């Protein structure tokens, strides 16, 4: 197999402000596998929280590419990946997920099979996705929510964790008034103390919030479980549930686990977690990092298994270089096309974003 990588700059339509940071752009490294006239693609994005800057990510993708090039074809490489024999033991989950996506895309194209069929879903999933409103004024949040509701979004996720607790309450109240039929999720990104959470959760429940993600700072999953046991609304673990073992410790003790392919290691790792928590009283949420359609697509192929779906990362971009999963009407869906079913936008096939690196061979 010939392996190349290409880095592009993904600029957000508006900066995304959460309790711990504000993001206006991030880099995406695309991994392309070519074999016998067909190509498969996967994507990994930079993340301050997960310690992946652009040079680090490019180096790690190149190392994975060298290992991939030793295999005679994508089928044997995919098997090796699943049994832990392809990537190095310390390879970050985001890189493993990108490698897996490229292999699944290529194998799917070679066998004329959509990825969701490989993963046990005969029908192409199509589900309502949440759309995120960042930390902003109540008035701007209300206007945003009204536009989303008019476009067809039935699930809205509101960022919280402002220094002013009343501001969080006012923002949720404004969104509720602007989109009265929407299901509301709340995400403080770990900004609250246990005392704050105990005081605030009943008030948000009264406003009709359906569930809250990671209200407490990550690092003390026992505290999160204790909060969930007394919470008037479902508590979903995110930053405290990264690995399979994290999920095992919290299964049955929180109401949900937000599984992101970039933090667990791809769709097969996500399906292992889904199987682990099934029947435990802990439901599956599928989340994502801000990424292009290519980066979001693998999760869409398993989206039918989730109680909550938050796969809007591509919708936050000023320009998405890929297309194929929709989302602008409030629903994301896989297609019956072979592989991941995504394709580059025609106008984005050649131009490079400012500061982006061009394609380069990393192994062959």
């Amino acid at each position: 197999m010939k392996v190349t990588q290409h880095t592009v700059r993904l600029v957000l339509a508006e900066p995304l402000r959460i309790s711990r940071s504000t993001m206006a752009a991030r880099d995406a490294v695309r991994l392309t596998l070519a074999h016998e006239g067909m190509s498969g693609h996967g994507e990994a994005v930079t993340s301050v929280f997960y310690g992946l800057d652009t040079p680090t990510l490019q180096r790690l993708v190149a190392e994975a590419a060298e290992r991939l090039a030793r295999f005679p074809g994508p089928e044997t490489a995919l098997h090796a990946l699943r049994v832990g024999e392809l990537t190095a033991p310390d390879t970050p989950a985001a890189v493993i997920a990108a490698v897996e996506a490229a292999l699944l895309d290529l194998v799917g194209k070679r066998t004329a099979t959509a990825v969701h069929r490989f993963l046990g879903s005969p029908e192409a999933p199509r589900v309502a996705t949440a759309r995120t409103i960042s930390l902003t004024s109540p008035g701007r949040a209300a206007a945003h929510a009204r536009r989303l509701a008019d476009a067809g979004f039935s699930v809205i996720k509101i960022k919280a964790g402002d220094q002013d607790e009343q501001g969080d309450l006012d923002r949720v109240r404004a969104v509720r008034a602007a989109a009265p039929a929407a299901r509301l999720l709340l995400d403080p990104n770990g900004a609250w103390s246990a005392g704050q959470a105990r005081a605030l959760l009943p008030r948000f429940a009264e406003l009709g919030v359906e569930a809250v993600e990671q209200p407490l700072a990550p690092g003390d999953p026992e505290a999160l479980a204790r909060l969930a046991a007394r919470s008037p609304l479902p508590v979903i673990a995110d930053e405290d549930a990264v690995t399979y073992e994290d999920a095992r410790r919290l299964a049955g003790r929180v109401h949900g686990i937000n599984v992101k392919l970039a933090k667990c290691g791809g769709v097969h790792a996500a399906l292992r977690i889904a199987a682990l928590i099934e029947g435990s009283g802990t439901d599956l949420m599928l989340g994502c990092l801000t990424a292009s359609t290519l980066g979001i697509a693998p999760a869409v192929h398993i989206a039918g298994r989730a109680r909550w779906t938050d796969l809007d990362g591509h919708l936050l971009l000023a320009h998405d270089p890929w297309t194929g999963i929709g989302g602008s009407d409030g629903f994301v869906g896989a297609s019956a096309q072979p592989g991941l079913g995504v394709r580059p936008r025609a106008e984005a096939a050649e131009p490079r974003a400012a500061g982006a690196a061009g394609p380069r061979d990393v192994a062959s």
Side-chain angles (χ1 to χ4, degrees):
M1 290 185 292
K2 182 178 181 181
V3 188
T4 58
Q5 66 167 265
H6 179 69
T7 302
V8 298
R9 189 75 168 164
L10 301 178
V11 179
L12 277 66
E14 295 182 3
L16 178 65
R17 181 180 169 227
I18 65 174
S19 61
R20 62 174 177 255
S21 64
T22 299
M23 182 181 64
R26 74 185 342 149
D27 285 341
V29 178
R30 184 183 76 233
L31 175 70
T32 297
L33 311 178
H35 186 66
E36 296 181 346
M38 293 185 176
S39 297
H41 309 280
E43 178 183 274
V45 295
T46 54
S47 170
V48 173
F49 186 79
Y50 292 110
L52 292 174
D53 58 22
T54 304
T56 299
L57 193 55
Q58 290 172 332
R59 173 181 58 79
L60 291 166
V61 169
E63 290 173 0
E66 291 178 2
R67 291 170 174 263
L68 276 166
R70 301 170 189 169
F71 290 86
E75 293 82 4
T76 55
L78 183 59
H79 174 75
L81 182 72
R82 290 177 181 172
V83 298
E85 296 177 354
L86 193 154
T87 54
D90 58 349
T91 302
V95 175
I96 296 173
V99 170
E100 180 195 49
L103 289 168
L104 286 170
D105 192 31
L106 182 52
V107 172
K109 289 172 180 174
R110 282 166 56 82
T111 59
T113 306
V115 164
H116 62 83
R117 296 185 65 86
F118 281 137
L119 303 176
S121 298
E123 301 298 324
R126 183 175 185 270
V127 299
T129 181
R131 182 70 156 80
T132 300
I133 294 179
S134 69
L135 282 176
T136 186
S137 69
R140 287 175 61 89
H144 194 178
R146 195 171 296 112
R147 292 193 300 270
L148 293 176
D150 289 345
F153 285 86
S154 59
V155 187
I156 296 175
K157 183 164 90 167
I158 307 164
K159 290 295 185 180
D162 210 340
Q163 292 183 350
D164 176 14
E165 295 175 4
Q166 188 60 46
D168 285 341
L169 290 161
D170 290 345
R171 187 179 309 106
V172 172
R173 189 176 291 110
V175 169
R176 169 52 73 211
R183 299 164 56 198
L184 301 185
L185 305 176
L186 192 67
D187 187 6
N189 289 105
W192 297 340
S193 68
Q196 284 177 303
R198 287 192 298 269
L200 288 170
L201 289 179
R203 302 182 70 180
F204 285 115
E206 291 173 359
L207 293 174
V209 171
E210 179 176 320
V212 60
E213 287 183 60
Q214 195 67 43
L216 306 182
D220 190 353
E222 293 301 316
L224 191 68
R226 287 193 299 271
L227 178 67
R230 298 183 178 183
S231 174
L233 52 81
V235 171
I236 301 168
D238 183 358
E239 288 90 342
D240 266 329
V242 175
T243 66
Y244 181 89
E245 286 304 309
D246 293 338
R248 184 183 61 78
R249 283 190 289 269
L250 286 170
R253 305 178 67 206
V254 294
H255 303 92
I257 288 178
N258 186 345
V259 173
K260 298 173 183 175
L261 305 192
K263 71 175 183 179
C264 74
V267 290
H268 281 92
L271 291 175
R272 286 188 69 220
I273 293 174
L276 169 72
I277 64 176
E278 186 175 4
S280 70
T282 297
D283 290 314
L284 177 69
M285 179 177 189
L286 273 177
C288 65
L289 303 182
T290 303
S292 77
T293 281
L294 174 61
I296 305 297
V300 174
H301 282 269
I302 61 172
R305 295 169 166 84
R307 175 178 173 181
W308 301 283
T309 301
D310 179 24
L311 298 177
D312 69 337
H314 62 305
L315 302 176
L316 306 180
L317 302 179
H319 175 71
D320 183 354
W322 293 78
T323 186
I325 60 174
S328 61
D329 61 351
F331 291 84
V332 290
S335 75
Q337 295 297 313
L340 292 174
V342 300
R343 61 192 182 281
R345 292 184 187 275
E347 68 273 20
E350 292 296 335
R352 301 178 192 171
R360 58 190 176 104
D361 288 353
V362 291
S364 61

